[in-house]
Amino acid sequence: MFVATYSYTEDTAARDAVRAEHREYLAGLGERLVLSGPTDANGAVLVFDVPAAADVERILDADPFTRAGLVAARTVVGWTPVLGRLLPSL
């Protein structure tokens, strides 16, 4: 699994305009996307179940938020969940 983080630009109006397309895109990823959602730090966290970090990078490159220039920075790191109440569903 992989965890990606977004830090957004300050252009909230543009983000609001693209949000529906962004969410539709993410919804279309099916089981590859485990969880996603905004943070209280002007960004987002996305968890993916894909074979390689390069797969996450390709997915994020095609995200409407990325294409619209609304992501100021992003990270992708491998993640191995070992504890927690959601673990059985992973």
Side-chain angles (χ1 to χ4, degrees):
M1 296 187 113
F2 295 88
V3 174
T5 61
Y6 278 171
S7 293
Y8 294 132
T9 67
E10 296 299 322
D11 192 348
T12 57
R15 199 163 58 243
D16 289 345
V18 179
R19 182 171 287 111
E21 183 183 358
H22 161 74
R23 288 187 175 169
E24 182 178 328
Y25 172 75
L26 293 179
L29 294 175
E31 299 209 2
R32 293 178 291 171
L33 180 66
V34 177
L35 288 169
S36 72
T39 68
D40 62 0
N42 196 36
V45 173
L46 305 96
V47 178
F48 293 92
D49 187 0
V50 295
D55 299 320
V56 176
E57 296 289 354
R58 280 190 291 277
I59 290 167
L60 299 179
D61 286 345
D63 182 340
F65 273 5
T66 302
R67 291 191 338 258
L70 300 171
V71 178
R74 77 181 188 207
T75 63
V76 175
V77 296
W79 181 52
T80 304
V82 295
L83 293 172
R85 66 183 174 95
L86 294 179
L87 188 61
S89 66
L90 301 176

